[in-house]
Amino acid sequence: MTLTVTAPAAVTDRRSARAFVDTHVVPYADDYDRNGRVPEDLLRQVAAAGLWAPFLPVESGGAGMDLVTLGEVHEEVGRGCSSLRSLLTVHTMVAWTVQRWGTPGQRERWEPALAAGEALGAFCLSEPGAGSDTAAITTTAVEHGDGWLLNGVKKWTTGGQRADLFLVFARTGASIGAFLVPRYAPGVQVRPIDDMLGTRASMLAEISFQDVALGPDALLGPSGFTAGMVLTGTLDLGRYSVAAGSVGIVQACLEASAAYAAHRRVGGRPLAEQPLIQAKLSDMVTDARAARLLLAEAGRLKDAGESSTIMATWIAKYFASTAAARHAAEAVQIHGANGCSPDYPVARLYRDAKVMEIIEGSNEIQRITIAGQAERETTR
Amino acid sequence: MSNTPTQQILDFVRGRYPQAEIDETQDIFALGFVNSLFAMELVMFVEKTFGVTIPNEELRIDNFRTASTMAALVGRLSPTLAVA
Ligand SMILES: Cc1cc2nc3c(=O)[nH]c(=O)nc-3n(C[C@H](O)[C@H](O)[C@H](O)COP(=O)(O)OP(=O)(O)OC[C@H]3O[C@@H](n4cnc5c(N)ncnc54)[C@H](O)[C@@H]3O)c2cc1C
């Protein structure tokens, strides 16, 4: 594997993101997948391109990027490598939450490091016994002196093997609060989880917190009834990023399949001339566009501060993730045995796409939420 | 007076829960439809509609119980908006 040495140009829009991904990510993504990690070299390139948290304000080292553009950038990253996109997703969730809910002191402490990628963030909600059912988490934060004492175990933490700052959701009596926990706080233990089905290079971990003493400034956002809003907002942004990454997977499936079908010959003709194959390709084209529009609409509503962005994001993520899983399966089909081999990227896309249907609200939870809203709005 | 903050907030809540019969003094938490998704939407709606930023210390349940208390919060954060 050749490591790139040229310093990347700043990523400011879809075009520059596409160029970055084509140069620094696409040629190596299968290696990352096989090695089970995104290398430090690439993490540095991402930092040099200003990609970690470009939506943060300029004063903090961000670029004040709007969320429509951020969605486009995450789509491009997802087209190249879902593991890197996953790392970007959880980092985005942490950085956005600090910006949205942090006190001036918290923002000053963390934003510059998060913008520069000097501190990488990870999101800790799921536990061995609680995934979709977030109300079932058992990690607790109890008041301790003027701060907090954290106890519990988090599982499936994307980037957990590498992250410097964990955003941990824990019970505080009747509600759930968000806590900023530095990796090296005494009592934090990180156990790598390797060999996942998909996003294999995203460095998952199980993290245990044993009597971790935190200062009063560890709590992010309000406590009490609105503490749940911190989680809702964090997940909303994560869902937006996963929706974007899923659009990227559909696009990658399309590009790989169209190229393959143009060259592979059956019965003396290119595969691309077979009506059954054309049907698959046309569905990829259509779904990629439809998913991209749903994503852009969710982003537009976010930039406008419209509350309807939350449902728009659920819908975009539901549509894009199911489309990704469907088309990744068809992309493997179009490639035949080659699609099952390590010589083409579609096997990786297929495995990564399945993960999109589970993370940030599984398909079932998305359907329940979307239908619940439809029911509320139409029943009188 | 359909344009008072109270009325706009009521319209928003009714728009999301058409089956609920609520007035400005009814405790929407007691009615049981506030989940964290709706709470987030409500806060975003108030911030966007009235051009205010609600600081963390004002994000207390008592400020959000009724359309009237929410309108009063808006009035405190943006004294130029008449609270009716
Ligand atoms: C690669 C990967 C990365 C991840 N990264 C993170 C991370 O960074 N941080 C983090 O906190 N978590 C992370 N997760 C965990 C992820 O959020 C959970 O897997 C997800 O929320 C689902 O929870 P669960 O796996 O416990 O499944 P469960 O909640 O046990 O659900 C099992 C199945 O039942 C279905 N189901 C659940 N409830 C219902 C219902 N009411 N009706 C019908 N069906 C239902 C689900 O959809 C699912 O199909 C990651 C997971 C994966 C695979």
Side-chain angles (χ1 to χ4, degrees), chain A residues 101 226 232 304 310 373 376, chain B residues 16-18 36-37 48 56 59:
Chain A
W101 297 104
T226 44
T232 306
I310 296 176
Q373 166 113 336
R376 272 196 308 278
Chain B
R16 298 283 277 97
Y17 295 92
S36 64
L37 172 64
K48 161 92 178 160
N56 287 352
L59 287 167

Side-chain angles (χ1 to χ4, degrees), chain A residues 100-101 221-222 225-226 228-229 232-233 304-307 309-311 369 373 376-377 379-380, chain B residues 12 15-19 29 35-37 39-41 43-45 47-48 56 59-61 64:
Chain A
R100 173 64 181 85
W101 297 104
F225 97 102
T226 44
M229 282 172 31
T232 306
E306 295 280 357
S307 59
T309 186
I310 296 176
M311 189 47 62
T369 309
Q373 166 113 336
R376 272 196 308 278
E377 287 186 346
T379 323
R380 273 184 193 273
Chain B
F12 177 75
R16 298 283 277 97
Y17 295 92
Q19 73 281 23
F29 288 86
N35 55 22
S36 64
L37 172 64
M40 181 83 185
E41 289 175 329
V43 170
M44 288 180 76
F45 170 78
E47 292 193 336
K48 161 92 178 160
N56 287 352
L59 287 167
R60 295 190 311 267
I61 193 163
F64 289 85

Side-chain angles (χ1 to χ4, degrees), chain A residues 18 21-22 26 75-81 245 248-249 251-252 255:
Chain A
R18 181 164 260 270
V21 170
D22 284 342
V26 170
E75 179 199 324
E76 290 301 330
V77 175
R79 179 179 60 82
C81 174
I249 291 177
Q251 183 65 31
E255 290 173 16

